[in-house]
């Protein structure tokens, strides 16, 4: 890790002034991903601007019935907050499926959105990688690609976005509040992250000097019928092979609204709204969920070691949709076999 200057900002405006004045400046809050990148010489910084004191780390209700989450609140504080547990349990469960308790105690919500891929080649400074060094190639395409993407890939990158929290935010249709040198703006969550295309080094739509200040959740939180499923190689502290966030609004067993988002399969959380619309007016069962899964996974392409993800994702969508009928099956002590009763 190279030496860098450190500045503690008292306000968002001060943080942005420090950022613009310092060559090679970066914002830091929890630092759980950024510090790793600096240690491995995968990122450079002449100055770290600490933004932890620029705003209160709080959650508050909005006039429209939604909830605003501070970008500086930690993942743990968010997951265990009464408003989130009661009204957005899908988000709480997704956050608690990610990382470890120690990391969740430090990692911030804004930083969660900005974390970079955990692709093996990206983290190996000796390997070519288009995300680190555009134009150098993507060895994952013909190399070790078991964890890599099956949707939205390009010839330049097949890395996946690692967040669990963001899969739930995609399903909830959150809105991101951003502050920058040109003022304030809001961005729909679905528009925030990018697919790799010709520029896999660009992960999102943030402009230089901009900060995420908050995340707005809509009034509808799918608190009655929801489920989050994370399939991984080990049950703790592992990134998803496939994850699914599902939320239903039901009336007499009929689907009135549906949301399904996938993680571990693409460069961003993956949603196909047309598949969700096809579920409207139907019962939740293996057949309707299977049809939706086929639509969601249309165009999926595996590589040498990850083709299994396509079938795994389909089964995960079906299983998670059935679990959403009885969210209590996700509680500690529930047995996986319990789902066979649905």
């Amino acid at each position: 890790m190279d030496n860098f200057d450190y500045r503690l900002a008292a306000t968002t405006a001060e943080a942005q002034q420090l950022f613009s004045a310092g060559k090679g400046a970066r914002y830091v809050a929890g630092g759980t991903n950024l510090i790793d990148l600096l240690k491995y010489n995968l990122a450079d910084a002449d100055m770290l601007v600490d933004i932890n004191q620029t705003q209160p780390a709080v959650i508050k209700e909005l006039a429209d019935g939604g909830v605003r989450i501070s970008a500086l609140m930690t993942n743990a504080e968010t997951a265990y907050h009464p408003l989130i547990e009661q009204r957005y349990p899908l988000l709480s469960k997704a956050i608690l499926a990610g990382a470890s308790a120690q990391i969740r105690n430090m990692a911030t919500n804004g930083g969660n959105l900005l974390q970079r891929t955990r692709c093996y080649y990206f983290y190996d400074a000796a390997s070519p990688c288009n995300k680190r060094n555009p134009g150098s190639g993507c060895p994952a395409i013909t190399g070790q690609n078991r964890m890599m993407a099956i949707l939205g890939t390009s010839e330049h990158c097949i890395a996946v976005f690692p967040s669990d929290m963001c899969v739930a935010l995609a399903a909830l249709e959150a809105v991101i509040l951003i502050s920058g040198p040109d003022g304030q703006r809001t961005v729909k969550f679905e528009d925030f992250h990018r697919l790799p295309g010709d520029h896999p080094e660009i992960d999102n739509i943030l402009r230089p000097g901009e900060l995420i200040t908050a995340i707005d959740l809509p009034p509808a939180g799918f608190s009655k019928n929801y489920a989050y499923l994370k399939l991984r190689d080990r049950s703790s502290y592992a990134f998803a092979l496939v994850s699914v966030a599902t939320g239903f609004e039901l009336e007499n067993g009929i689907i009135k609204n549906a949301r399904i988002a996938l993680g571990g399969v693409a460069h961003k959380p993956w949603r196909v709204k047309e598949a969700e619309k096809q579920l409207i007016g139907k019962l939740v069962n293996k057949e309707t969920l299977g049809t939706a899964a086929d639509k969601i996974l249309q165009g999926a392409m595996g590589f040498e070691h990850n083709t299994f993800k396509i079938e795994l994702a389909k089964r995960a969508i079906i299983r998670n949709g059935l679990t959403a009928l009885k969210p209590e099956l996700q509680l500690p002590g529930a047995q996986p076999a319990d789902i066979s009763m649905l």
Side-chain angles (χ1 to χ4, degrees), residues 9-52:
T11 65
T12 298
E14 182 184 357
Q16 291 167 348
Q17 289 172 358
L18 289 168
F19 184 95
S20 61
K23 180 182 178 182
R26 289 179 181 266
Y27 296 124
V28 64
T32 55
N33 186 207
L34 176 59
I35 301 303
D36 279 346
L37 295 174
L38 294 174
K39 285 179 179 178
Y40 287 107
N41 294 315
L42 303 177
D44 297 318
D46 294 328
M47 176 192 294
L48 292 187
V49 180
D50 190 328
I51 60 173
N52 281 292

Side-chain angles (χ1 to χ4, degrees), residues 134-278:
S136 62
C138 178
I141 292 176
T142 56
Q144 295 298 318
N145 46 41
R146 184 171 182 272
M147 297 290 294
M148 304 305 170
I150 56 173
L151 290 161
T153 58
S154 78
E155 61 180 325
H156 303 289
C157 183
I158 60 171
V160 297
F161 184 63
S163 171
D164 288 282
M165 176 181 182
C166 287
V167 182
L169 291 176
L172 291 169
E173 293 191 343
V175 174
I176 303 170
L177 282 64
I178 297 170
S179 175
D182 298 325
Q184 314 291 319
R185 65 179 177 129
T186 59
V187 176
K188 292 180 180 180
F189 191 86
E190 63 188 274
D191 297 328
F192 183 76
H193 296 102
R194 297 180 66 259
L195 292 177
D198 293 334
H199 292 282
E201 74 278 10
I202 304 174
D203 292 332
N204 54 64
I205 53 81
L206 275 188
R207 301 164 187 162
E210 285 190 324
L211 276 170
I212 298 172
T213 58
I215 302 165
D216 282 359
L217 302 176
F222 302 99
S223 60
K224 293 183 178 180
N225 295 106
Y226 69 92
Y228 187 76
L229 175 64
K230 182 176 183 178
L231 302 176
R232 45 189 163 173
D233 286 325
R234 60 179 186 270
S235 62
S236 177
Y237 197 40
F239 298 104
L241 291 168
V242 173
S243 60
V244 189
T246 304
F248 293 135
E249 289 180 11
L250 303 176
E251 185 175 312
N252 297 322
I254 302 298
I255 301 173
K256 296 300 180 182
N257 193 9
R259 305 276 176 78
I260 301 173
L262 300 185
V265 298
H267 206 253
K268 61 183 290 186
W270 190 264
R271 272 186 72 200
V272 177
K273 293 183 180 180
E274 291 79 7
E276 297 168 354
K277 292 177 182 177
Q278 289 179 0

